[in-house]
Amino acid sequence: MSLSRRSALVLRRSRCFYPRLWEQGRAGAHGPTRLEDAPRRFSTAEVSKVEPGDPGRMRERTLTMATLNPQVKAVEYAVRGPIVLKAADIERMLQQGVKQPFSEVIKANIGDAHAMGQQPITFLRQVVALCCFPELLDSPVFPDDAKQRAQRILQDCGGQSLGSYSASQGVQCIRQDIADYISRRDQGVPSDWNNIYLTTGASDGIMSILKLLVSGHGSSRTGVMIPIPQYPLYSAAISELEAVQVNYYLDEANCWALDVEELQRAYLEAKQHCQPRVLCIINPGNPTGQVQSRKCIEEVLHFAYEENLFVMADEVYQDNVYSSDCEFHSFKKILYEMGPEYFNNVELASFHSTSKGYTGECGFRGGYMEILNMDSQVNSQLVKLLSVRLCPPVSGQAAMDVIVNPPEEHEPSYSQFNKEKSSVLDSLAHKARLTEQILNSVPGMKCNPVQGAMYAFPQIFIPPRAIQEAQALSVAPDMLYCLKLLEETGICVVPGSGFGQREGTYHFRMTILPDPEKLKVLLEKVREFHLRFLEEYSHPEPQLNICTETEHRETSKQPN
């Protein structure tokens, strides 16, 4: 290229990159009009050479803690909070050869079944594998019933590929299978697949519904009633959406029962500063492990009907019921049995997930919600909102389909599937009883029966001196307890303050997912630590303070 042509090209480029300079030069304005006088633009390579401490070449960051969305700062999620970060640090130190009083960190903080050693359900993995790699459909290794399900799912996917987007509400045949499952589960209660929405785990559905419900300002701002103790997703979502959290307390002295009088108290108090519109229920309970009775559910639904509340029923642990005295009842089924006046009027969203139950497939992020009695125009707005995130993971939708459409008795995979499912649930039931028994044998601890779900939530006595130390460190007393437990034993649990608890009581949540032998070791270590903790802080004879409306009837149940 000749010099003149090269110069012309440079001039044309400079006119594109520095139009203001050309305009200034044309108008005779003061300032740089030559290319060499223009502000310098650094290449990526040059920027990487800038010295960190050179203020002349640095600009202020746009995003700082001062400019960060304050609602994000308000969000707290104890299940993956400071204790878990500390556990990760200790794990790295162990890997680097730093000596600790233990050989491994046991993460009992979260309900991640496969991470704790639970094996996948073969049939579910077979169907998902066939959907992901259809060439396997020709393999004799896979049973025919798994192939049939995979083929049916793929036929409803764009290009017959799991890699295509689905409709925002989910793959149609999977929505139909979910509706059939709900009808079977609820003994014939009708379910319309048009009311089914696939979600990215249950959390995604819960967040979507709350987004629809939160509105108003000041005293008309939406209040969301949540159980205390609660799963921190709810308080985090409420903070993020700037809704008003309305706490109603479960009755610890009565096996964490839900009392309608307590609902009424919380509702009336909240009415003074917000507009309660939403009632959230977790059944079976997380972190408390209780299973609501039919009578309790009827009373709750009647209360919601009378106060015109939108009910959100978190039922992800519906397969996890261990007590012979308990049975899972869906809110939808009870609502139907209460008659048309209730069934055709109470607005209800119920949620399920692949992450819990007997499959424990957390990583697939599969889930669904069924919505009843939603205004048709609002329903259109929900579809619009879901469309923004395009669709849930289609592999997670396929996993959800296997849960709601498992092998039937006449199919080749039924025997193995039923054996694996029963093995998981029987083991969980055994570990639920084991956990309750051992924790209740520890002085200064009281654990209600683990009727369902995957956790124990024992109350612990913390001596006054330990409480004073925690206050001096500006941490909750049960946070101090859990930090010391982690540092001395390697056991990672979540303090009860992360879930909410009555004033003056302290708890921690631990999962029952480790295999039985490891769980025994874990519980024995907790026992030994608790006794050392009590001795270290030299206390009077521990007396638990269960602050509930039924305390006068239950004092005999408190541990010595």
Side-chain angles (χ1 to χ4, degrees):
M1 185 184 293
S2 67
L3 183 62
S4 59
R5 286 182 61 193
R6 188 180 297 120
S7 300
L9 180 60
V10 168
L11 288 172
R12 280 200 301 274
R13 286 177 176 170
S14 70
R15 181 173 291 178
C16 292
F17 288 123
Y18 305 105
R20 275 198 220 160
L21 300 182
W22 281 90
E23 291 300 324
Q24 287 174 356
R26 189 176 296 133
H30 296 292
T33 57
R34 297 177 302 163
L35 187 60
E36 58 268 28
D37 295 328
R40 188 176 176 199
R41 302 296 173 116
F42 290 96
S43 71
T44 305
E46 289 172 316
V47 168
S48 67
K49 295 175 184 176
V50 173
E51 293 297 324
D54 185 354
R57 297 189 179 184
M58 297 294 288
R59 66 173 180 82
E60 285 187 15
R61 288 187 173 86
T62 300
L63 182 59
T64 66
M65 286 303 291
T67 61
L68 178 68
N69 182 338
Q71 271 55 64
V72 173
K73 286 191 274 191
V75 168
E76 293 184 2
Y77 188 64
V79 173
R80 295 197 175 192
I83 293 279
V84 183
L85 297 177
K86 177 74 172 175
D89 288 341
I90 293 174
E91 232 175 2
R92 280 191 291 272
M93 291 166 66
L94 283 169
Q95 291 166 0
Q96 293 164 4
V98 179
K99 288 193 178 292
Q100 299 289 340
F102 43 85
S103 59
E104 66 171 331
V105 172
I106 303 176
K107 294 178 180 175
N109 61 296
I110 195 166
D112 189 349
H114 291 196
M116 301 304 289
Q118 181 178 310
Q119 294 303 301
I121 298 296
T122 303
F123 186 73
L124 185 149
R125 288 296 182 91
Q126 287 174 332
V127 173
V128 175
L130 289 163
C131 288
C132 289
F133 194 60
E135 285 82 350
L136 294 173
L137 288 165
D138 296 327
S139 169
V141 173
F142 291 83
D144 289 342
D145 46 357
K147 292 179 180 179
Q148 290 162 6
R149 282 164 175 75
Q151 287 170 327
R152 181 167 176 267
I153 292 169
L154 289 171
Q155 285 168 4
D156 258 19
C157 294
Q160 297 195 9
S161 171
L162 218 62
S164 61
Y165 289 128
S166 74
S168 298
Q169 300 98 314
V171 176
Q172 180 172 317
C173 71
I174 298 176
R175 295 168 71 198
Q176 291 169 339
D177 286 345
I178 292 169
D180 291 342
Y181 160 78
I182 292 171
S183 187
R184 290 195 309 273
R185 180 199 69 189
D186 294 343
Q187 300 171 344
V189 176
S191 180
D192 183 351
W193 69 269
N194 289 294
N195 294 331
I196 306 295
Y197 300 83
L198 275 298
T199 59
T200 307
S203 303
D204 172 48
I206 290 166
M207 194 68 181
S208 296
I209 296 301
L210 284 174
K211 284 180 181 177
L212 298 180
L213 286 158
V214 176
S215 64
H217 301 280
S219 61
S220 67
R221 189 67 172 166
T222 296
V224 182
M225 302 182 69
I226 62 172
I228 298 295
Q230 51 103 23
Y231 178 51
L233 162 68
Y234 292 93
S235 55
I238 290 166
S239 294
E240 184 177 342
L241 297 172
E242 290 187 89
V244 179
Q245 180 172 318
V246 179
N247 296 339
Y248 66 88
Y249 290 87
L250 302 177
D251 185 358
E252 182 173 10
N254 194 23
C255 205
W256 299 113
L258 197 168
D259 181 16
V260 175
E261 289 184 11
E262 170 61 13
L263 285 180
Q264 192 72 45
R265 178 207 60 79
Y267 177 83
L268 292 175
E269 286 185 10
K271 285 278 285 183
Q272 298 174 26
H273 57 87
C274 70
Q275 180 56 56
R277 292 191 179 94
V278 193
L279 174 59
C280 299
I281 311 287
I282 308 174
N283 181 48
N286 175 11
T288 45
Q290 86 285 5
V291 178
Q292 302 293 357
S293 67
R294 173 191 292 271
K295 181 176 181 293
C296 174
I297 296 172
E298 287 177 352
E299 291 174 348
V300 169
L301 288 170
H302 178 73
F303 171 77
Y305 174 82
E306 290 292 324
E307 305 299 350
N308 199 25
L309 296 171
F310 190 109
V311 179
M312 296 177 64
D314 183 339
E315 299 176 336
V316 300
Y317 296 100
Q318 58 189 258
D319 288 313
N320 300 104
V321 177
Y322 315 125
S323 173
S324 58
D325 299 330
C326 298
E327 181 182 356
F328 171 75
H329 302 283
S330 77
F331 270 68
K332 181 189 175 183
K333 177 174 180 283
I334 303 302
L335 189 64
Y336 180 82
E337 292 172 350
M338 291 172 72
E341 184 178 355
Y342 289 89
F343 189 67
N344 296 328
N345 286 288
V346 174
E347 296 157 279
L348 170 67
S350 53
F351 306 89
H352 198 12
S353 167
T354 61
S355 302
K356 309 306 175 186
Y358 56 89
T359 57
E361 293 284 6
C362 303
F364 277 119
R365 306 308 300 132
Y368 74 77
M369 58 183 176
E370 182 184 29
I371 302 175
L372 301 182
N373 299 319
M374 180 174 278
D375 178 272
S376 59
Q377 290 181 304
V378 174
N379 190 72
S380 298
Q381 295 296 311
L382 171 61
V383 174
K384 178 186 73 175
L385 183 66
L386 297 177
S387 299
V388 173
R389 52 95 160 116
L390 297 176
C391 70
V394 184
S395 56
Q397 296 186 48
M400 192 76 247
D401 187 73
V402 179
I403 292 172
V404 300
N405 186 23
E408 298 180 18
E409 285 191 55
H410 64 276
E411 293 182 304
S413 299
Y414 176 79
S415 177
Q416 182 180 4
F417 171 83
N418 198 49
K419 180 180 178 182
E420 291 175 355
K421 175 182 175 181
S422 297
S423 174
V424 170
L425 294 176
D426 289 347
S427 176
L428 285 169
H430 166 67
K431 291 185 286 189
R433 292 189 294 271
L434 178 71
T435 303
E436 176 198 345
Q437 289 166 3
I438 293 179
L439 291 179
N440 278 328
S441 72
V442 181
M445 267 195 200
K446 180 182 186 299
C447 183
N448 273 319
V450 183
Q451 297 173 337
M454 296 178 171
Y455 316 98
F457 196 66
Q459 185 181 151
I460 52 176
F461 173 78
I462 296 184
R465 276 189 54 225
I467 294 172
Q468 291 167 7
E469 181 176 320
Q471 290 169 344
L473 295 170
S474 298
V475 299
D478 48 14
M479 173 67 84
L480 174 70
Y481 181 95
C482 292
L483 277 170
K484 284 183 170 289
L485 174 66
L486 173 64
E487 291 168 350
E488 293 184 25
T489 68
I491 295 169
C492 179
V493 298
V494 189
S497 49
F499 301 90
Q501 55 198 353
R502 283 192 179 272
E503 189 72 27
T505 67
Y506 306 104
H507 303 77
F508 64 80
R509 188 193 80 163
M510 60 164 284
T511 179
I512 61 170
L513 289 172
D515 70 72
E517 290 310 309
K518 180 173 277 191
L519 184 61
K520 285 179 185 177
V521 172
L522 183 158
L523 292 167
E524 188 55 39
K525 284 186 174 183
V526 169
R527 175 190 174 85
E528 292 170 358
F529 166 81
H530 188 74
L531 294 175
R532 286 198 309 273
F533 185 86
L534 294 181
E535 185 174 352
E536 178 183 350
Y537 289 97
S538 59
H539 56 86
E541 188 70 9
Q543 294 293 324
L544 289 177
N545 176 25
I546 301 179
C547 305
T548 68
E549 56 277 7
T550 55
E551 184 177 11
H552 64 284
R553 292 186 281 109
E554 300 291 340
T555 51
S556 62
K557 296 184 180 180
Q558 296 181 11
N560 294 323

